[in-house]
């Protein structure tokens, strides 16, 4: 299944026929239906949710609530009130750190992350450890870019209060064994935080079946708007947490000296909610549901296999992460001995091929790979073999330009 | 939006296509030459002041040493873990400033910065005086790469100020 979603579904791609967008892992292009939904919300339903007694406000409130329900269903959450809107995965991680971590973690405790955690979780929990005096432990990786389960097991003891790892690595593409890690973590009583930013756009995700305690993702990588994301958490955990931001909407009764707080999900959504973007994200989820997440996955596996096979033909290439398409997402990072990732990205750009070059917000990982930066191509629903052929042509050009250069 | 079935298997990707001339303007031979055989790459022995700069966006690093005697740059060296533009810039810039007074070198650095951000374009004689560095004018067309040049100009300015 090498063709799935037509290019015409995406206005930006439809308007630039020569563009080969292979950077969906950074942010996804937006389906027309999402852009239309945003426009329609502002043209027909715009009012401040939860505020006015007039019908328009009630309608905005209803659209916002419906969006939450749609998104909850999309990730397998039966309790929509435990599906909180945040700005994105980064804010979700900070909500966990300040809302749960500060109250439950102290000196003598330990936090475990992995060497493939994105800075969003790595830095957030590193700083939580620093604030609370907890030990910060980093589970190492195997040579083929998986979490080293021996390393991880050795770090899990009764001192560990929180463990964080990505469902899918943003730099390696590795799909991690979530349920296995959850079982190990729960055996020592640790709370499990799973970064789903690179999983939700590509795999059918069921947060309850995964067994995690917190699961976060960013809307813009799913084809939704920038500035909206989701944190799902277990009800008991969320209800035990203090709010981390205060203001309107999250209160129940405000006394002169004392305030009581609203119920879930509102106690964690201070201020005017980002209703329009929530509606846009729900439409993005509906778009993917209509394509079928199983078909999305099958499409990406096929293209990833094609890409891995093609890249291996190039001299001096190092491909990171598992080499079997079935064991990874459609994110493929690579580096050449003789062409720096930025030179590569510039030359590719001239060929209309967009890839990410850099450290992918994963500097601890780059250090372990022994490279300052990698180039990363990523596929999504609209990607075709033609996009990958264009990538290969551009890569070959870059290699010929830098022939007989040895990176020092 | 209905997905189309495609019964034919995809054509495998191939390596090997002719070069594309479009990027030639950035990767001119003079830049590639400095990248392939960088001048003044290494570490100065002795007590020359050194600085290390990093581009936080990409993680590239450069360390730079400048030896100043009686207000004149008598030697300089760099070590970089960086792209071709950064390495070539360092090679060309150090080749140009060694032997100059600190004031003259500071002016050359300012001219290179104006070359890639031509708010007030350099006069023809000034541009010509930059020699090989003039090739960096092509970076104007590649906004994402200006930081690669500035990594070097920032490091050498610091190294001179820090000496």
């Amino acid at each position: 299944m090498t063709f799935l979603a037509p290019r015409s579904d995406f206005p930006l791609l439809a308007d630039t026929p020569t563009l080969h967008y292979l950077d969906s892992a950074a942010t996804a292009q937006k389906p027309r239906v999402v852009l239309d939904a945003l426009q329609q919300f502002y043209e027909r339903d715009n009012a401040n949710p939860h505020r006015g007694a007039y019908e328009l406000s009630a309608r905005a409130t209803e659209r916002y609530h419906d969006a939450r329900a749609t998104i909850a269903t999309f990730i397998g959450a039966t309790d929509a009130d435990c599906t909180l809107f945040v700005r994105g995965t980064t804010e979700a991680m900070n909500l966990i750190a300040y809302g749960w971590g500060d109250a439950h973690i102290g000196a003598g405790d330990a936090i475990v992350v992995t060497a493939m955690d994105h800075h969003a979780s790595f830095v957030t929990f590193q700083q939580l450890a620093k604030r609370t005096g907890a030990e910060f432990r980093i589970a190492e990786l195997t040579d083929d870019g998986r979490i080293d389960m021996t390393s991880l097991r050795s770090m899990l003891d009764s001192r560990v209060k929180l463990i964080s790892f990505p469902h899918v690595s943003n730099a390696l593409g590795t799909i991690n064994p979530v349920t296995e890690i959850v079982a190990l973590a729960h055996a020592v009583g640790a709370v499990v935080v799973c970064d789903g930013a690179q999983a939700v756009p590509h795999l059918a995700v069921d947060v309850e079946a995964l067994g995690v305690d917190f699961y976060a993702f960013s809307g813009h990588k799913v084809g939704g708007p920038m500035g909206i994301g989701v944190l799902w958490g277990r009800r008991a955990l969320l209800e035990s947490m203090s709010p981390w931001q205060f203001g309107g909407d999250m209160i129940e009764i405000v006394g002169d000296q004392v305030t009581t707080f609203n119920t879930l999900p509102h106690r964690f959504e201070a201020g005017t909610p980002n209703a329009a973007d929530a509606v846009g994200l729900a439409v993005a989820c509906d778009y993917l549901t209509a394509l079928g997440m199983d078909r999305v996955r099958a499409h990406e596996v096929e293209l990833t296999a094609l890409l891995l096979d093609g890249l291996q033909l190039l001299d001096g290439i190092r491909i990171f992460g598992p080499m079997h398409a079935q064991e990874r997402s459609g994110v493929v990072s690579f580096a050449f001995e003789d062409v720096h990732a930025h030179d590569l990205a510039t030359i590719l750009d001239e060929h209309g091929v967009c890839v990410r070059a850099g450290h992918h917000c994963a500097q601890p990982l780059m250090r372990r790979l022994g490279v300052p930066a990698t180039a990363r191509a990523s596929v999504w629903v609209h990607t075709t073999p033609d996009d990958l052929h264009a990538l290969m042509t551009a890569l070959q050009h870059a290699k010929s330009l830098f022939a007989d250069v040895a990176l020092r | 939006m209905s997905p189309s079935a495609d019964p034919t298997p995809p054509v495998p990707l191939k390596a090997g296509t002719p070069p594309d001339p479009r990027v030639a303007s950035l990767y001119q031979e003079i830049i590639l030459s400095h990248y392939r055989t960088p001048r003044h790459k290494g570490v100065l022995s002795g007590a020359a002041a050194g600085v290390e700069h990093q581009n936080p966006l990409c993680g590239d690093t450069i360390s730079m040493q400048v030896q100043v005697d009686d207000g004149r740059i008598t030697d300089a060296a760099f070590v970089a873990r960086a792209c071709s533009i950064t390495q070539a810039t360092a090679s060309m810039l150090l080749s140009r400033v060694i032997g100059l007074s600190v004031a003259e070198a500071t002016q050359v650095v300012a001219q290179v910065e104006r070359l890639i951000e031509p708010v007030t374009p350099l006069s023809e004689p000034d541009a010509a005086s930059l020699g090989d560095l003039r090739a960096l004018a092509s970076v104007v067309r590649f906004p994402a790469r200006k930081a690669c040049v500035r990594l070097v100009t920032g490091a050498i300015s610091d190294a001179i100020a820090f000496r």
Side-chain angles (χ1 to χ4, degrees):
Chain A
M1 196 190 292
T2 48
F3 296 90
L4 184 59
R7 211 176 160 89
S8 56
D9 281 1
F10 297 82
L12 186 144
L13 299 176
D15 286 351
T16 46
T18 57
L19 190 77
H20 301 285
Y21 188 76
L22 293 171
D23 200 18
S24 298
T27 196
Q29 295 303 338
K30 313 307 175 200
R32 187 181 303 279
V33 286
V34 171
L35 303 176
D36 288 349
L38 291 173
Q39 183 90 2
Q40 280 173 19
F41 179 87
Y42 285 121
E43 286 181 358
R44 298 178 197 168
D45 303 322
N46 182 51
N48 202 322
H50 312 136
R51 299 295 198 284
Y54 47 91
E55 197 214 324
L56 186 63
S57 172
R59 200 155 72 227
T61 306
E62 193 181 320
R63 298 291 311 276
Y64 184 56
H65 284 201
D66 289 351
R68 191 190 308 276
T70 298
I71 295 161
T73 303
F74 185 67
I75 58 168
T78 48
D79 192 346
D81 290 344
C82 295
T83 307
L84 314 178
F85 285 118
V86 290
R87 279 191 300 142
T89 307
T90 299
E91 189 174 68
M93 294 299 168
N94 279 274
L95 195 161
I96 297 166
Y98 287 101
W100 187 85
D102 279 346
H104 293 88
I105 292 179
D109 292 335
I111 296 170
V112 174
V113 301
T114 71
M116 67 165 79
D117 270 53
H118 186 281
H119 291 169
S121 53
F122 193 99
V123 180
T124 303
F125 295 131
Q126 178 196 60
Q127 296 304 307
L128 170 64
K130 206 172 162 190
R131 264 198 319 277
T132 56
E135 187 188 336
F136 187 63
R137 302 176 180 170
I138 305 165
E140 295 297 334
L141 309 182
T142 61
D143 289 343
D144 65 345
R146 300 164 205 267
I147 296 171
D148 182 341
M149 295 304 283
T150 311
S151 167
L152 181 69
R153 274 193 200 89
S154 75
M155 287 176 183
L156 291 174
D157 56 40
S158 59
R159 290 171 57 200
V160 177
K161 294 292 178 286
L162 181 149
I163 173 172
S164 159
F165 64 95
H167 188 168
V168 174
S169 162
N170 74 307
L172 298 166
T174 318
I175 300 174
N176 288 314
V178 180
T179 52
E180 191 184 340
I181 296 172
V182 167
L184 293 171
H186 282 170
V188 297
V191 162
V192 177
V193 178
C194 191
D195 169 357
Q198 296 292 338
V200 174
H202 310 288
L203 308 171
V205 168
D206 183 329
V207 290
E208 292 179 6
L210 289 173
V212 297
D213 300 302
F214 290 109
Y215 194 94
F217 70 96
S218 298
H220 70 98
K221 293 191 202 285
V222 188
M226 287 182 172
I228 187 104
V230 166
L231 172 64
W232 175 86
R234 288 187 186 281
R235 178 171 278 275
L237 275 170
L238 293 174
E239 285 182 337
S240 75
M241 287 160 55
S242 301
W244 78 305
Q245 288 181 351
F246 301 89
D249 244 22
M250 54 77 65
I251 51 91
E252 187 184 44
I253 294 164
V254 179
D256 282 0
Q257 303 297 331
V258 178
T259 294
T260 56
F261 303 119
N262 206 338
T263 53
L264 293 175
H266 313 293
R267 65 192 276 127
F268 293 107
E269 294 180 358
T272 294
N274 185 359
D277 288 339
V279 168
L281 175 54
V283 171
C285 293
D286 282 342
Y287 175 82
L288 287 174
T289 300
L291 287 178
M293 287 311 290
D294 292 342
R295 293 169 70 101
V296 169
R297 175 63 183 151
H299 168 72
E300 294 187 4
V301 166
E302 190 144 342
L303 288 179
T304 305
L306 193 64
L307 180 56
L308 289 170
D309 287 348
L311 290 177
Q312 286 179 77
L313 300 175
L314 299 168
D315 288 337
I317 195 168
R318 223 180 125 191
I319 302 172
F320 302 100
M323 287 308 291
H324 297 291
Q326 289 289 355
E327 299 170 356
R328 61 182 300 153
S329 74
V331 165
V332 181
S333 276
F334 52 92
F336 289 102
E337 280 165 22
D338 49 358
V339 192
H340 188 282
H342 292 160
D343 294 320
L344 212 52
T346 295
I347 295 165
L348 266 50
D349 189 28
E350 291 287 296
H351 286 258
V353 177
C354 306
V355 301
R356 171 86 190 264
H359 55 59
H360 315 297
C361 294
Q363 287 179 6
L365 175 62
M366 295 294 118
R367 277 197 299 280
R368 283 162 174 81
L369 298 177
V371 290
T374 74
R376 180 187 70 181
S378 48
V379 306
W380 200 39
V381 296
H382 51 69
T383 312
T384 65
D386 184 45
D387 294 321
L388 303 182
H389 287 292
L391 170 68
M392 290 294 289
T393 300
L395 288 175
Q396 195 60 28
H397 176 212
K399 289 208 45 87
S400 67
L401 200 60
F402 284 92
D404 66 61
V405 172
L407 274 190
R408 290 149 293 245
Chain B
M1 202 177 71
S2 68
S4 55
D6 54 304
T8 51
V11 180
L13 305 183
K14 283 186 299 202
T17 47
D20 183 312
R22 283 174 294 179
V23 288
S25 68
L26 179 60
Y27 297 105
Q28 297 163 69
E29 192 46 44
I30 190 77
I31 288 177
L32 289 173
S33 152
H34 276 273
Y35 176 49
R36 290 191 186 108
T37 40
R39 284 66 138 175
H40 309 291
K41 188 160 184 172
V43 178
L44 296 183
S45 54
V51 296
E52 182 163 331
H53 276 217
Q54 184 174 39
N55 179 350
L57 292 178
C58 65
D60 280 0
T61 57
I62 188 165
S63 59
M64 181 86 70
Q65 283 175 293
V66 177
Q67 180 71 42
V68 179
D69 299 299
D70 295 332
R72 194 160 288 278
I73 296 176
T74 52
D75 205 357
F78 78 99
V79 176
R81 185 171 158 122
C83 66
S84 65
I85 302 302
T86 294
Q87 303 225 33
T89 301
S91 174
M92 294 188 289
L93 191 56
L94 295 195
S95 302
R96 180 75 186 82
V97 300
I98 291 171
L100 299 184
S101 70
V102 165
E104 289 165 339
T106 305
Q107 195 183 354
V108 168
V109 171
Q111 285 171 341
V112 169
E113 285 175 342
R114 272 173 69 195
L115 197 62
I116 62 164
E117 198 69 82
V119 183
T120 50
L122 289 177
S123 68
E124 177 55 33
D126 280 351
S129 74
L130 287 174
D132 287 358
L133 284 164
R134 199 175 180 180
L136 292 174
S138 58
V139 176
V140 169
R141 277 188 53 230
F142 299 86
R145 303 307 295 278
K146 290 178 182 176
C148 310
V149 175
R150 291 203 188 102
L151 183 61
V152 182
T153 55
I156 194 165
S157 301
D158 236 24
I160 291 173
F162 192 69
R163 73 191 190 276

